[in-house]
Amino acid sequence: MQEEPVVPEINKGQEDQWETDNRCGACGHGLIDRSENADSMLCSACREKYIHYPVPKLFIIFSAVIAVLMGFAFIRFPKVIKSYKIYEKAEAMAANGDIVEAIQGLHTVVEQYPGSVPVAVRLTDIAMEGGFYDDASYMLSNNLSGKKMEANIVNRMNRYIDKLDRFYNTYDTVQNMQSKFGDALSKEEVLETGYQYLNQLLSDPEQDKALVYYYMSMFAGDAGEARNCLEKSIAEDNNMLDAKVQLGTISRRQGDLEYAENCYNEVLLADKTYSSASRGLAIIRLLEGKKEEGLDLASKAYEQNPEGDYVWETYLIALKENAKNTDADALVKEYISKGNELDADFKSYLDGNLSLHEYYIDE
């Protein structure tokens, strides 16, 4: 019979020494894990804690590229947000009468993103709805021509194009008509000939009726007919803001200040920067005796458009009515120094020979 091997007994002291020799050199608690490295002095937990894996070079390059791209993104981010805000707020601004600011803002966005169809479409919509046909025409020709759009947008843009074609065709036709008037014709003959010619254009489908009626008001023989033409112009196209201003002026001349004020306010509701409307409203306030308010409105119109028709004149009158004679005299001297001459009636008012009421209202 084979003898069983003799196993030496391990006493308590030897067992403690073995555990001491095999304890983790880091934490001192876990047993050393030599499964992957015979010379290891760490337990498995500490080995995983302190081990350092090499970072692949490709990952370093990729991370650097991402960092650069993110840097560019953060630089452009404020501009993108600003442009988006302009785009989003444009319609509300236009509806609030800040249409010029809205259109100008959208133009800056289009310059930054010339290929953006939504921005160009929004600018075109606002311009057409507000009567800013030059801006709409520019967008259609330079930013939307040949671009892919949804069917409903294409149909709307085509309607705009038809409207603009008629509008500019009428403008060119009237300019051509006026160029043919010679010096041999008297003022009365010019008015009669022009009115008859324009009246015939109303039956031409390629002409814009609203613009034809507007021009007819300029050739009308009397204020009543001019008023009739302006009302028809506005009925054809409610965006004919200058037609509303002229209608307000005729009404003021006829002494109907309430109707005139409604006309001017309607224009300013659509476009707060329309200096002719601010000027008209300033005159009404002066006639009502609200001289300070009249001066504020006249000053506003002058700041908006100092070269506008009669804007300078109304501002000067508002200064005189508010006893600001020093400012008024300085303005007159500056005006005359540029080679300009004062109108006879205006000079008569300045000399005190014509009252404010007589100057602005026809009896």
Side-chain angles (χ1 to χ4, degrees), residues 66-128:
I66 293 297
V68 171
L69 291 176
M70 288 184 67
F72 279 119
F74 278 112
I75 291 173
R76 290 174 54 85
F77 187 69
K79 294 182 180 179
V80 173
I81 292 296
K82 183 178 180 180
S83 296
Y84 181 73
K85 286 182 177 180
I86 292 173
Y87 171 77
E88 280 294 302
K89 294 180 179 179
E91 289 183 332
M93 290 178 64
N96 193 44
D98 297 311
I99 187 169
V100 172
E101 185 178 350
I103 289 176
Q104 289 175 345
L106 288 173
H107 270 301
T108 63
V109 178
V110 169
E111 289 175 2
Q112 294 173 3
Y113 308 97
S116 175
V117 172
V119 177
V121 167
R122 179 155 297 183
L123 198 161
T124 303
D125 284 335
I126 291 174
M128 288 299 296

Short mmCIF file of all heavy atoms in Angstrom, two decimals, residues 66-128:
data_model
loop_
_atom_site.label_atom_id
_atom_site.label_comp_id
_atom_site.label_asym_id
_atom_site.label_seq_id
_atom_site.Cartn_x
_atom_site.Cartn_y
_atom_site.Cartn_z
N ILE A 66 -12.12 68.98 -33.08
CA ILE A 66 -13.41 69.29 -32.44
C ILE A 66 -13.32 70.59 -31.65
O ILE A 66 -14.21 71.44 -31.70
CB ILE A 66 -13.87 68.14 -31.52
CG1 ILE A 66 -14.20 66.91 -32.35
CG2 ILE A 66 -15.07 68.57 -30.69
CD1 ILE A 66 -15.36 67.09 -33.31
N ALA A 67 -12.21 70.77 -30.94
CA ALA A 67 -12.02 71.99 -30.14
C ALA A 67 -11.99 73.23 -31.02
O ALA A 67 -12.58 74.27 -30.69
CB ALA A 67 -10.74 71.88 -29.32
N VAL A 68 -11.30 73.13 -32.17
CA VAL A 68 -11.22 74.27 -33.09
C VAL A 68 -12.60 74.59 -33.66
O VAL A 68 -13.01 75.76 -33.72
CB VAL A 68 -10.23 73.97 -34.23
CG1 VAL A 68 -10.31 75.05 -35.31
CG2 VAL A 68 -8.81 73.88 -33.69
N LEU A 69 -13.33 73.55 -34.06
CA LEU A 69 -14.67 73.76 -34.63
C LEU A 69 -15.61 74.39 -33.60
O LEU A 69 -16.41 75.26 -33.92
CB LEU A 69 -15.24 72.43 -35.13
CG LEU A 69 -14.55 71.83 -36.36
CD1 LEU A 69 -15.16 70.47 -36.69
CD2 LEU A 69 -14.68 72.77 -37.55
N MET A 70 -15.50 73.91 -32.37
CA MET A 70 -16.34 74.48 -31.31
C MET A 70 -15.98 75.94 -31.06
O MET A 70 -16.85 76.77 -30.79
CB MET A 70 -16.19 73.67 -30.03
CG MET A 70 -16.85 72.30 -30.08
SD MET A 70 -16.77 71.41 -28.52
CE MET A 70 -17.83 72.46 -27.51
N GLY A 71 -14.69 76.27 -31.19
CA GLY A 71 -14.26 77.66 -31.03
C GLY A 71 -14.89 78.56 -32.07
O GLY A 71 -15.42 79.63 -31.75
N PHE A 72 -14.87 78.10 -33.33
CA PHE A 72 -15.50 78.88 -34.41
C PHE A 72 -17.00 78.99 -34.17
O PHE A 72 -17.61 80.03 -34.44
CB PHE A 72 -15.23 78.23 -35.77
CG PHE A 72 -13.89 78.56 -36.33
CD1 PHE A 72 -12.97 77.55 -36.59
CD2 PHE A 72 -13.54 79.87 -36.63
CE1 PHE A 72 -11.72 77.84 -37.11
CE2 PHE A 72 -12.30 80.17 -37.15
CZ PHE A 72 -11.38 79.16 -37.39
N ALA A 73 -17.60 77.91 -33.70
CA ALA A 73 -19.05 77.91 -33.46
C ALA A 73 -19.42 78.94 -32.40
O ALA A 73 -20.41 79.68 -32.55
CB ALA A 73 -19.51 76.52 -33.03
N PHE A 74 -18.63 79.00 -31.33
CA PHE A 74 -18.94 79.96 -30.26
C PHE A 74 -18.71 81.39 -30.71
O PHE A 74 -19.37 82.32 -30.25
CB PHE A 74 -18.10 79.65 -29.02
CG PHE A 74 -18.67 78.56 -28.17
CD1 PHE A 74 -18.02 77.34 -28.05
CD2 PHE A 74 -19.87 78.73 -27.51
CE1 PHE A 74 -18.54 76.33 -27.26
CE2 PHE A 74 -20.41 77.73 -26.73
CZ PHE A 74 -19.74 76.51 -26.60
N ILE A 75 -17.75 81.60 -31.65
CA ILE A 75 -17.53 82.94 -32.18
C ILE A 75 -18.72 83.37 -33.02
O ILE A 75 -19.18 84.52 -32.96
CB ILE A 75 -16.24 82.97 -33.02
CG1 ILE A 75 -15.01 82.79 -32.10
CG2 ILE A 75 -16.12 84.28 -33.80
CD1 ILE A 75 -13.71 82.63 -32.86
N ARG A 76 -19.25 82.47 -33.84
CA ARG A 76 -20.37 82.78 -34.73
C ARG A 76 -21.72 82.74 -34.02
O ARG A 76 -22.69 83.32 -34.50
CB ARG A 76 -20.42 81.79 -35.89
CG ARG A 76 -19.28 81.96 -36.89
CD ARG A 76 -19.31 80.85 -37.93
NE ARG A 76 -20.61 80.77 -38.57
CZ ARG A 76 -20.99 81.50 -39.60
NH1 ARG A 76 -20.17 82.40 -40.11
NH2 ARG A 76 -22.19 81.36 -40.12
N PHE A 77 -21.76 82.06 -32.88
CA PHE A 77 -23.04 81.83 -32.19
C PHE A 77 -23.82 83.12 -31.91
O PHE A 77 -25.02 83.18 -32.21
CB PHE A 77 -22.77 81.06 -30.90
CG PHE A 77 -24.02 80.61 -30.19
CD1 PHE A 77 -24.83 79.63 -30.74
CD2 PHE A 77 -24.40 81.19 -28.99
CE1 PHE A 77 -25.98 79.23 -30.09
CE2 PHE A 77 -25.54 80.79 -28.33
CZ PHE A 77 -26.33 79.80 -28.89
N PRO A 78 -23.19 84.18 -31.36
CA PRO A 78 -23.95 85.41 -31.10
C PRO A 78 -24.53 86.01 -32.37
O PRO A 78 -25.65 86.54 -32.36
CB PRO A 78 -22.90 86.34 -30.47
CG PRO A 78 -21.87 85.43 -29.92
CD PRO A 78 -21.80 84.28 -30.88
N LYS A 79 -23.77 85.97 -33.48
CA LYS A 79 -24.27 86.52 -34.74
C LYS A 79 -25.47 85.74 -35.25
O LYS A 79 -26.42 86.32 -35.77
CB LYS A 79 -23.15 86.51 -35.79
CG LYS A 79 -21.98 87.42 -35.47
CD LYS A 79 -20.94 87.38 -36.57
CE LYS A 79 -19.78 88.31 -36.25
NZ LYS A 79 -18.74 88.27 -37.29
N VAL A 80 -25.40 84.42 -35.11
CA VAL A 80 -26.52 83.57 -35.56
C VAL A 80 -27.76 83.88 -34.74
O VAL A 80 -28.86 84.02 -35.29
CB VAL A 80 -26.14 82.08 -35.43
CG1 VAL A 80 -27.35 81.20 -35.73
CG2 VAL A 80 -25.00 81.74 -36.38
N ILE A 81 -27.60 84.00 -33.42
CA ILE A 81 -28.73 84.31 -32.55
C ILE A 81 -29.32 85.67 -32.89
O ILE A 81 -30.54 85.84 -32.96
CB ILE A 81 -28.29 84.27 -31.07
CG1 ILE A 81 -27.96 82.84 -30.65
CG2 ILE A 81 -29.37 84.84 -30.17
CD1 ILE A 81 -29.15 81.90 -30.71
N LYS A 82 -28.46 86.66 -33.12
CA LYS A 82 -28.92 88.00 -33.46
C LYS A 82 -29.70 88.00 -34.77
O LYS A 82 -30.77 88.61 -34.87
CB LYS A 82 -27.73 88.96 -33.57
CG LYS A 82 -28.14 90.40 -33.85
CD LYS A 82 -26.92 91.31 -33.91
CE LYS A 82 -27.34 92.75 -34.19
NZ LYS A 82 -26.16 93.66 -34.25
N SER A 83 -29.19 87.29 -35.77
CA SER A 83 -29.86 87.21 -37.07
C SER A 83 -31.21 86.51 -36.93
O SER A 83 -32.20 86.92 -37.54
CB SER A 83 -28.99 86.46 -38.07
OG SER A 83 -27.79 87.15 -38.32
N TYR A 84 -31.25 85.45 -36.12
CA TYR A 84 -32.50 84.72 -35.92
C TYR A 84 -33.55 85.61 -35.24
O TYR A 84 -34.73 85.57 -35.59
CB TYR A 84 -32.25 83.47 -35.08
CG TYR A 84 -33.50 82.65 -34.85
CD1 TYR A 84 -34.06 81.89 -35.87
CD2 TYR A 84 -34.13 82.65 -33.61
CE1 TYR A 84 -35.21 81.15 -35.67
CE2 TYR A 84 -35.29 81.92 -33.39
CZ TYR A 84 -35.82 81.16 -34.43
OH TYR A 84 -36.97 80.44 -34.22
N LYS A 85 -33.10 86.41 -34.26
CA LYS A 85 -34.03 87.31 -33.57
C LYS A 85 -34.61 88.35 -34.55
O LYS A 85 -35.79 88.68 -34.49
CB LYS A 85 -33.33 88.01 -32.40
CG LYS A 85 -33.08 87.11 -31.20
CD LYS A 85 -32.43 87.88 -30.07
CE LYS A 85 -32.23 87.00 -28.84
NZ LYS A 85 -31.59 87.75 -27.73
N ILE A 86 -33.74 88.87 -35.42
CA ILE A 86 -34.21 89.84 -36.42
C ILE A 86 -35.26 89.20 -37.31
O ILE A 86 -36.31 89.79 -37.59
CB ILE A 86 -33.03 90.35 -37.27
CG1 ILE A 86 -32.09 91.20 -36.41
CG2 ILE A 86 -33.53 91.16 -38.47
CD1 ILE A 86 -30.81 91.61 -37.12
N TYR A 87 -34.98 87.98 -37.74
CA TYR A 87 -35.90 87.24 -38.61
C TYR A 87 -37.24 86.99 -37.92
O TYR A 87 -38.31 87.20 -38.51
CB TYR A 87 -35.25 85.92 -39.02
CG TYR A 87 -36.16 84.97 -39.75
CD1 TYR A 87 -36.47 85.16 -41.10
CD2 TYR A 87 -36.72 83.87 -39.10
CE1 TYR A 87 -37.31 84.28 -41.77
CE2 TYR A 87 -37.55 82.98 -39.76
CZ TYR A 87 -37.84 83.19 -41.10
OH TYR A 87 -38.68 82.32 -41.76
N GLU A 88 -37.18 86.58 -36.66
CA GLU A 88 -38.39 86.24 -35.92
C GLU A 88 -39.24 87.47 -35.60
O GLU A 88 -40.48 87.41 -35.63
CB GLU A 88 -38.03 85.51 -34.62
CG GLU A 88 -37.72 84.04 -34.81
CD GLU A 88 -38.93 83.25 -35.26
OE1 GLU A 88 -39.95 83.26 -34.55
OE2 GLU A 88 -38.86 82.64 -36.34
N LYS A 89 -38.59 88.59 -35.29
CA LYS A 89 -39.31 89.78 -34.84
C LYS A 89 -39.76 90.68 -36.00
O LYS A 89 -40.52 91.63 -35.78
CB LYS A 89 -38.44 90.60 -33.89
CG LYS A 89 -38.15 89.91 -32.57
CD LYS A 89 -37.27 90.79 -31.68
CE LYS A 89 -36.99 90.13 -30.34
NZ LYS A 89 -36.12 90.98 -29.48
N ALA A 90 -39.30 90.41 -37.21
CA ALA A 90 -39.55 91.31 -38.34
C ALA A 90 -41.03 91.54 -38.59
O ALA A 90 -41.47 92.69 -38.77
CB ALA A 90 -38.87 90.77 -39.59
N GLU A 91 -41.82 90.50 -38.61
CA GLU A 91 -43.26 90.64 -38.91
C GLU A 91 -43.97 91.47 -37.84
O GLU A 91 -44.80 92.34 -38.17
CB GLU A 91 -43.91 89.27 -39.04
CG GLU A 91 -43.50 88.52 -40.30
CD GLU A 91 -44.21 87.18 -40.42
OE1 GLU A 91 -44.57 86.60 -39.37
OE2 GLU A 91 -44.41 86.72 -41.56
N ALA A 92 -43.65 91.22 -36.58
CA ALA A 92 -44.28 91.97 -35.49
C ALA A 92 -43.87 93.44 -35.55
O ALA A 92 -44.69 94.33 -35.30
CB ALA A 92 -43.90 91.37 -34.14
N MET A 93 -42.61 93.70 -35.87
CA MET A 93 -42.13 95.07 -35.98
C MET A 93 -42.85 95.80 -37.10
O MET A 93 -43.27 96.95 -36.94
CB MET A 93 -40.62 95.08 -36.23
CG MET A 93 -39.79 94.65 -35.04
SD MET A 93 -38.02 94.64 -35.43
CE MET A 93 -37.74 96.39 -35.74
N ALA A 94 -42.99 95.15 -38.24
CA ALA A 94 -43.68 95.76 -39.38
C ALA A 94 -45.13 96.07 -39.03
O ALA A 94 -45.65 97.14 -39.38
CB ALA A 94 -43.60 94.84 -40.60
N ALA A 95 -45.78 95.14 -38.35
CA ALA A 95 -47.18 95.35 -37.95
C ALA A 95 -47.31 96.49 -36.96
O ALA A 95 -48.37 97.13 -36.88
CB ALA A 95 -47.75 94.06 -37.35
N ASN A 96 -46.23 96.79 -36.23
CA ASN A 96 -46.24 97.86 -35.23
C ASN A 96 -45.84 99.21 -35.82
O ASN A 96 -45.70 100.20 -35.10
CB ASN A 96 -45.30 97.49 -34.08
CG ASN A 96 -45.47 98.38 -32.87
OD1 ASN A 96 -46.60 98.67 -32.46
ND2 ASN A 96 -44.37 98.82 -32.30
N GLY A 97 -45.64 99.26 -37.14
CA GLY A 97 -45.28 100.51 -37.79
C GLY A 97 -43.79 100.72 -37.97
O GLY A 97 -43.37 101.72 -38.56
N ASP A 98 -42.99 99.80 -37.45
CA ASP A 98 -41.53 99.90 -37.59
C ASP A 98 -41.08 99.13 -38.83
O ASP A 98 -40.11 98.36 -38.79
CB ASP A 98 -40.83 99.35 -36.35
CG ASP A 98 -41.15 100.15 -35.10
OD1 ASP A 98 -41.05 101.39 -35.17
OD2 ASP A 98 -41.52 99.56 -34.08
N ILE A 99 -41.77 99.34 -39.93
CA ILE A 99 -41.53 98.55 -41.14
C ILE A 99 -40.17 98.84 -41.75
O ILE A 99 -39.51 97.95 -42.27
CB ILE A 99 -42.67 98.78 -42.17
CG1 ILE A 99 -42.51 97.81 -43.35
CG2 ILE A 99 -42.71 100.23 -42.63
CD1 ILE A 99 -43.71 97.77 -44.25
N VAL A 100 -39.73 100.09 -41.70
CA VAL A 100 -38.41 100.43 -42.26
C VAL A 100 -37.31 99.71 -41.50
O VAL A 100 -36.39 99.13 -42.09
CB VAL A 100 -38.18 101.96 -42.21
CG1 VAL A 100 -36.75 102.29 -42.62
CG2 VAL A 100 -39.16 102.67 -43.14
N GLU A 101 -37.40 99.72 -40.18
CA GLU A 101 -36.40 99.04 -39.35
C GLU A 101 -36.43 97.54 -39.60
O GLU A 101 -35.38 96.88 -39.64
CB GLU A 101 -36.65 99.33 -37.87
CG GLU A 101 -35.59 98.77 -36.94
CD GLU A 101 -35.83 99.11 -35.48
OE1 GLU A 101 -36.73 99.95 -35.22
OE2 GLU A 101 -35.14 98.55 -34.61
N ALA A 102 -37.64 96.98 -39.76
CA ALA A 102 -37.78 95.54 -40.02
C ALA A 102 -37.13 95.17 -41.34
O ALA A 102 -36.39 94.18 -41.43
CB ALA A 102 -39.25 95.15 -40.02
N ILE A 103 -37.39 95.95 -42.38
CA ILE A 103 -36.83 95.66 -43.69
C ILE A 103 -35.32 95.83 -43.69
O ILE A 103 -34.59 95.00 -44.26
CB ILE A 103 -37.49 96.56 -44.76
CG1 ILE A 103 -38.94 96.12 -44.99
CG2 ILE A 103 -36.71 96.51 -46.08
CD1 ILE A 103 -39.71 96.99 -45.96
N GLN A 104 -34.83 96.88 -43.05
CA GLN A 104 -33.39 97.09 -42.98
C GLN A 104 -32.70 95.95 -42.23
O GLN A 104 -31.62 95.49 -42.62
CB GLN A 104 -33.09 98.43 -42.30
CG GLN A 104 -33.45 99.64 -43.16
CD GLN A 104 -33.24 100.95 -42.41
OE1 GLN A 104 -33.10 100.99 -41.19
NE2 GLN A 104 -33.24 102.05 -43.16
N GLY A 105 -33.33 95.49 -41.15
CA GLY A 105 -32.78 94.38 -40.39
C GLY A 105 -32.69 93.11 -41.21
O GLY A 105 -31.68 92.40 -41.19
N LEU A 106 -33.75 92.82 -41.96
CA LEU A 106 -33.76 91.63 -42.81
C LEU A 106 -32.73 91.73 -43.93
O LEU A 106 -32.15 90.72 -44.35
CB LEU A 106 -35.15 91.39 -43.38
CG LEU A 106 -36.19 90.89 -42.37
CD1 LEU A 106 -37.58 90.85 -43.00
CD2 LEU A 106 -35.81 89.51 -41.85
N HIS A 107 -32.50 92.95 -44.42
CA HIS A 107 -31.47 93.13 -45.45
C HIS A 107 -30.09 92.73 -44.91
O HIS A 107 -29.28 92.12 -45.62
CB HIS A 107 -31.43 94.58 -45.93
CG HIS A 107 -32.34 94.86 -47.09
ND1 HIS A 107 -32.24 94.20 -48.30
CD2 HIS A 107 -33.39 95.73 -47.24
CE1 HIS A 107 -33.17 94.65 -49.14
NE2 HIS A 107 -33.87 95.56 -48.51
N THR A 108 -29.81 93.07 -43.65
CA THR A 108 -28.53 92.70 -43.06
C THR A 108 -28.41 91.18 -42.92
O THR A 108 -27.33 90.61 -43.12
CB THR A 108 -28.33 93.35 -41.68
OG1 THR A 108 -29.34 92.88 -40.77
CG2 THR A 108 -28.41 94.86 -41.78
N VAL A 109 -29.52 90.52 -42.60
CA VAL A 109 -29.51 89.06 -42.49
C VAL A 109 -29.29 88.42 -43.86
O VAL A 109 -28.54 87.45 -44.00
CB VAL A 109 -30.82 88.54 -41.86
CG1 VAL A 109 -30.81 87.01 -41.79
CG2 VAL A 109 -31.01 89.11 -40.47
N VAL A 110 -29.93 88.98 -44.88
CA VAL A 110 -29.76 88.46 -46.24
C VAL A 110 -28.31 88.60 -46.70
O VAL A 110 -27.77 87.74 -47.38
CB VAL A 110 -30.71 89.19 -47.22
CG1 VAL A 110 -30.35 88.87 -48.67
CG2 VAL A 110 -32.15 88.80 -46.96
N GLU A 111 -27.68 89.71 -46.31
CA GLU A 111 -26.26 89.90 -46.66
C GLU A 111 -25.38 88.83 -46.02
O GLU A 111 -24.41 88.38 -46.61
CB GLU A 111 -25.81 91.30 -46.23
CG GLU A 111 -26.41 92.43 -47.06
CD GLU A 111 -26.03 93.79 -46.53
OE1 GLU A 111 -25.27 93.85 -45.54
OE2 GLU A 111 -26.48 94.81 -47.09
N GLN A 112 -25.73 88.43 -44.81
CA GLN A 112 -24.95 87.40 -44.11
C GLN A 112 -25.26 86.00 -44.64
O GLN A 112 -24.38 85.15 -44.71
CB GLN A 112 -25.25 87.45 -42.60
CG GLN A 112 -24.77 88.73 -41.92
CD GLN A 112 -25.23 88.82 -40.48
OE1 GLN A 112 -25.85 87.91 -39.96
NE2 GLN A 112 -24.94 89.94 -39.85
N TYR A 113 -26.53 85.78 -45.02
CA TYR A 113 -26.96 84.48 -45.52
C TYR A 113 -27.71 84.66 -46.85
O TYR A 113 -28.93 84.51 -46.92
CB TYR A 113 -27.87 83.79 -44.50
CG TYR A 113 -27.27 83.72 -43.11
CD1 TYR A 113 -27.62 84.65 -42.14
CD2 TYR A 113 -26.35 82.73 -42.79
CE1 TYR A 113 -27.06 84.60 -40.87
CE2 TYR A 113 -25.79 82.67 -41.52
CZ TYR A 113 -26.15 83.60 -40.57
OH TYR A 113 -25.58 83.55 -39.31
N PRO A 114 -26.97 84.99 -47.91
CA PRO A 114 -27.60 85.29 -49.20
C PRO A 114 -28.37 84.11 -49.80
O PRO A 114 -29.24 84.31 -50.65
CB PRO A 114 -26.42 85.69 -50.10
CG PRO A 114 -25.23 85.09 -49.45
CD PRO A 114 -25.50 85.11 -47.98
N GLY A 115 -28.07 82.91 -49.37
CA GLY A 115 -28.76 81.75 -49.91
C GLY A 115 -29.98 81.34 -49.13
O GLY A 115 -30.64 80.35 -49.47
N SER A 116 -30.33 82.08 -48.09
CA SER A 116 -31.47 81.72 -47.24
C SER A 116 -32.79 82.13 -47.91
O SER A 116 -33.11 83.32 -48.00
CB SER A 116 -31.35 82.39 -45.86
OG SER A 116 -32.50 82.14 -45.09
N VAL A 117 -33.53 81.16 -48.37
CA VAL A 117 -34.82 81.43 -49.00
C VAL A 117 -35.85 81.96 -48.00
O VAL A 117 -36.57 82.92 -48.30
CB VAL A 117 -35.35 80.17 -49.71
CG1 VAL A 117 -36.78 80.37 -50.20
CG2 VAL A 117 -34.45 79.82 -50.89
N PRO A 118 -35.99 81.38 -46.79
CA PRO A 118 -36.99 81.88 -45.83
C PRO A 118 -36.81 83.36 -45.50
O PRO A 118 -37.80 84.09 -45.38
CB PRO A 118 -36.77 81.00 -44.60
CG PRO A 118 -36.20 79.73 -45.14
CD PRO A 118 -35.32 80.15 -46.27
N VAL A 119 -35.56 83.81 -45.32
CA VAL A 119 -35.33 85.22 -44.99
C VAL A 119 -35.73 86.11 -46.16
O VAL A 119 -36.40 87.13 -45.98
CB VAL A 119 -33.85 85.46 -44.63
CG1 VAL A 119 -33.60 86.94 -44.36
CG2 VAL A 119 -33.47 84.64 -43.40
N ALA A 120 -35.34 85.73 -47.37
CA ALA A 120 -35.67 86.51 -48.56
C ALA A 120 -37.18 86.56 -48.77
O ALA A 120 -37.74 87.59 -49.15
CB ALA A 120 -34.98 85.94 -49.79
N VAL A 121 -37.86 85.45 -48.51
CA VAL A 121 -39.32 85.40 -48.66
C VAL A 121 -39.99 86.31 -47.64
O VAL A 121 -40.92 87.06 -47.98
CB VAL A 121 -39.83 83.95 -48.50
CG1 VAL A 121 -41.36 83.93 -48.33
CG2 VAL A 121 -39.44 83.11 -49.71
N ARG A 122 -39.52 86.26 -46.39
CA ARG A 122 -40.13 87.11 -45.35
C ARG A 122 -39.94 88.59 -45.69
O ARG A 122 -40.85 89.40 -45.52
CB ARG A 122 -39.53 86.79 -43.98
CG ARG A 122 -40.09 87.65 -42.86
CD ARG A 122 -39.98 86.98 -41.52
NE ARG A 122 -40.78 85.75 -41.48
CZ ARG A 122 -40.91 84.99 -40.38
NH1 ARG A 122 -40.28 85.33 -39.26
NH2 ARG A 122 -41.64 83.90 -40.41
N LEU A 123 -38.74 88.94 -46.14
CA LEU A 123 -38.48 90.34 -46.51
C LEU A 123 -39.41 90.76 -47.65
O LEU A 123 -39.99 91.85 -47.63
CB LEU A 123 -37.02 90.51 -46.92
CG LEU A 123 -36.46 91.95 -46.94
CD1 LEU A 123 -34.93 91.92 -46.89
CD2 LEU A 123 -36.93 92.76 -48.14
N THR A 124 -39.58 89.88 -48.64
CA THR A 124 -40.44 90.18 -49.79
C THR A 124 -41.89 90.35 -49.35
O THR A 124 -42.59 91.28 -49.80
CB THR A 124 -40.34 89.07 -50.85
OG1 THR A 124 -38.97 88.91 -51.24
CG2 THR A 124 -41.18 89.40 -52.07
N ASP A 125 -42.36 89.46 -48.48
CA ASP A 125 -43.75 89.55 -47.98
C ASP A 125 -43.99 90.89 -47.28
O ASP A 125 -44.98 91.58 -47.53
CB ASP A 125 -44.04 88.40 -47.02
CG ASP A 125 -44.27 87.07 -47.73
OD1 ASP A 125 -44.66 87.10 -48.91
OD2 ASP A 125 -44.05 86.02 -47.11
N ILE A 126 -43.08 91.23 -46.37
CA ILE A 126 -43.24 92.47 -45.60
C ILE A 126 -43.17 93.69 -46.52
O ILE A 126 -43.95 94.63 -46.38
CB ILE A 126 -42.15 92.55 -44.51
CG1 ILE A 126 -42.42 91.50 -43.43
CG2 ILE A 126 -42.12 93.95 -43.87
CD1 ILE A 126 -41.34 91.40 -42.38
N ALA A 127 -42.26 93.66 -47.47
CA ALA A 127 -42.10 94.79 -48.40
C ALA A 127 -43.35 94.97 -49.26
O ALA A 127 -43.83 96.09 -49.46
CB ALA A 127 -40.88 94.58 -49.28
N MET A 128 -43.90 93.88 -49.75
CA MET A 128 -45.10 93.97 -50.59
C MET A 128 -46.31 94.42 -49.77
O MET A 128 -47.11 95.24 -50.24
CB MET A 128 -45.39 92.62 -51.24
CG MET A 128 -44.42 92.23 -52.34
SD MET A 128 -44.40 93.37 -53.76
CE MET A 128 -46.07 93.19 -54.40
#
